[in-house]
Amino acid sequence: MNGTYSADAVRDAAVAFVRTAQRPFYAQCAFQNVHEPLEVPARFADRYAAALPARERVYAGMVSALDEAAGIVLDALPALDETVVVFFSDNGAMANSAAPSGARANYFKGGKTLTTEGGTRAPCFVRYPPLLSPGWSASLVHVVDLFPTLVALAGATHALDLDGVDAAPQLLDPATPGRRREVLYNINPRSDDADQLKAPKAALRYDDFKLSFEFWSNRSGAALYDLAADPMETSDVANRHPGVVRDLAARLEAHAARLPPPFEPWPPFQGADYACCDCEETFARGAPAVWAPWIPDDYAAAPCAPPYAACVVPPCYGH
């Protein structure tokens, strides 16, 4: 961004917003740290010069840059102790990268892009002094639970039919059992094992059991894990629990029946001829387009490069 480090750009925009926004407000700060490309101003990486190899210094420095930027945003809040602050990641550690970065999923299996626990578990911190006391909970929470939870913490109500559930009771009293029993990790019916998302292609958890399929297109490679006893996913217990396998597979089938077809235009993941906004399959079963326009209407779009050539209504939108 014109030589500006992305964490600084997000920080400055967030600070400007929270200082002038009319209350109540909602601000979402989507920092890119830590994400490839691994880059950070030298002053952050240099903190770890004596302790870590060069690439790991960069990764650790990116975490420090994020920490500093987030702290500056919090300091700018006009009423920090009256603000619900949520801090979390959108995926697990980048521990399965071909080039080691220093990211670690501890004892969890796999990393980012995988449906294994190392690729999907992430810590979440919530701060709201008027209602929340220090504590922790290991209950299931999914990112879609944030909206109903924030609504509840704000003392409001809604009548929407949502996938998310209110996790406020767990925050108010960590001993309270969580309402979420199911987590759908992913269903990828089209891609083969050579694409960006490696197998397993589908996975679902219900209570402590997790069922995954290496390939969803032919329902092959099923494995069942008891995450309460085996959070590292080392022992397939499908043969010992055939009824659980059937139940969780039925849940996956029910979810799959509701999904729009996946949209991944880069060959060979779904084929060179799949990069088409109005292809018949994209709107199968009346499903909407997966990607909504995100470029401003006044954006002077450059000519689309293949494989976007067929997707030009409007140019480059949805990508």
Side-chain angles (χ1 to χ4, degrees):
M1 187 175 178
N2 298 324
T4 303
Y5 191 58
S6 66
D8 296 344
V10 174
R11 175 202 66 202
D12 292 347
V15 167
F17 174 79
V18 301
R19 282 177 173 169
T20 60
Q22 181 178 353
R23 299 169 59 188
F25 63 79
Y26 171 82
Q28 180 169 321
C29 303
F31 288 99
Q32 290 180 299
N33 295 39
V34 173
H35 193 286
E36 291 182 321
L38 299 185
E39 299 173 348
V40 72
R43 68 184 181 91
F44 293 106
D46 289 348
R47 299 178 186 180
Y48 305 96
L52 296 172
R55 186 173 171 86
E56 294 191 17
R57 290 201 295 269
V58 173
Y59 191 96
M62 293 180 74
V63 175
S64 291
L66 168 64
D67 180 64
E68 179 184 275
I72 291 172
V73 174
L74 293 182
D75 288 341
L77 286 167
L80 174 59
D81 286 346
E82 298 175 17
T83 305
V84 181
V85 177
V86 184
F87 184 91
F88 68 100
S89 176
D90 60 341
N91 49 251
M94 200 170 59
N96 59 322
S97 174
S101 63
R104 295 174 178 84
N106 291 333
Y107 59 82
F108 293 120
K109 183 178 179 179
K112 178 180 177 178
T113 78
L114 302 179
T115 59
T116 54
E117 294 302 285
T120 53
R121 288 203 189 200
C124 177
F125 303 90
V126 183
R127 182 186 190 277
Y128 188 42
L131 292 179
L132 306 182
S133 301
W136 70 278
S137 172
S139 297
L140 287 176
V141 177
H142 191 281
V143 65
V144 297
D145 300 335
L146 285 180
F147 175 76
T149 302
L150 292 174
V151 169
L153 290 176
T157 60
H158 69 86
L160 301 173
D161 182 16
L162 302 174
D163 291 326
V165 298
D166 175 16
Q170 297 162 248
L171 296 174
L172 297 170
D173 180 5
T176 301
R179 294 176 54 204
R180 174 165 292 283
R181 302 183 65 184
E182 178 185 88
V183 170
L184 174 63
Y185 294 79
N186 191 30
I187 298 176
N188 187 338
R190 297 182 59 90
S191 300
D192 63 25
D193 195 39
D195 81 349
Q196 65 179 22
L197 299 179
K198 304 299 182 184
K201 297 299 180 184
L204 178 139
R205 173 175 177 170
Y206 193 82
D207 289 339
D208 290 328
F209 283 106
K210 176 180 180 180
L211 178 67
S212 67
F213 285 89
E214 287 292 301
F215 298 100
W216 181 250
S217 57
N218 59 7
R219 312 301 193 263
S220 64
L224 182 72
Y225 301 101
D226 180 354
L227 295 181
D230 179 29
M232 297 173 65
E233 300 172 277
T234 61
S235 301
D236 178 6
V237 295
N239 290 337
R240 302 211 306 258
H241 302 280
V244 175
V245 172
R246 287 193 299 271
D247 291 345
L248 269 60
R251 287 181 172 274
L252 273 169
E253 294 285 358
H255 284 297
R258 298 176 52 223
L259 293 178
F263 186 84
E264 175 58 85
W266 294 277
F269 306 152
Q270 292 174 358
D273 60 351
Y274 196 65
C276 177
C277 287
D278 55 359
C279 291
E280 180 179 353
E281 186 170 357
T282 302
F283 295 93
R285 300 187 301 277
V290 176
W291 292 98
W294 58 273
I295 300 175
D297 290 341
D298 59 357
Y299 174 73
C304 289
Y308 300 143
C311 187
V312 291
V313 187
C316 296
Y317 278 25
H319 301 296

